[in-house]
Every structure is written in C-alpha cells, then in structure tokens.
Amino acid sequence: MDQERIFALHEFIDGEAQNWFHHHVLHTNWDKQDWTFKEVLIGLYNRFVNAATMQEAQEAFRTPV
C-alpha cells in the first residue's frame, strides 16, 4: 500500500520536490531503501517547509481580510 501511495505522490510533484524525490526515495544506492509514505511526506516537509513559511501562514491566518 505504501509503495502505491509513494508512486502516486510522484505524479503530483514537480521541480525541486521531484528532484528531491528522485534523489532520495527512488535512487537505489542510498542507505534508506524502503521508504514509507509517512517518511516521504516528512522528508518533503522537512526539506521544503521552513519555520519562516509557517510563521507567514500563521500571520496571514490571523490578519483580517
């Protein structure tokens, strides 16, 4: 099940996220061979969402329109 979700996720990402995915998840020469779907999502999150982005989102949520 995880492998199906991981390959489906691959269809919905592009650019740097897809490069990261290929480099870390699909590449067979890395230490980590069997990624879970949760690990892939956490890896993408850790790589592409930073604290400043989260702060901006919180501020935008609190700001009246």
Side-chain angles (χ1 to χ4, degrees):
M1 179 75 156
D2 270 355
Q3 291 303 313
E4 293 171 10
R5 292 190 290 178
I6 290 169
F7 287 121
L9 175 65
H10 178 257
E11 298 297 319
F12 293 97
I13 58 175
D14 61 3
E16 287 298 315
Q18 193 169 66
N19 289 341
W20 180 92
F21 186 90
H22 281 274
H23 190 71
H24 292 279
V25 179
L26 296 182
H27 199 278
T28 58
N29 293 329
W30 291 100
D31 292 334
K32 178 106 179 99
Q33 294 288 325
D34 296 315
W35 289 76
T36 65
F37 184 68
K38 181 178 176 180
E39 290 170 331
V40 174
L41 291 180
I42 291 170
L44 286 166
Y45 180 90
N46 288 340
R47 171 61 180 88
F48 294 103
V49 179
N50 60 41
T53 303
M54 295 302 293
Q55 182 66 30
E56 291 171 12
Q58 289 175 347
E59 289 173 13
F61 180 76
R62 292 184 188 129
T63 305
V65 186

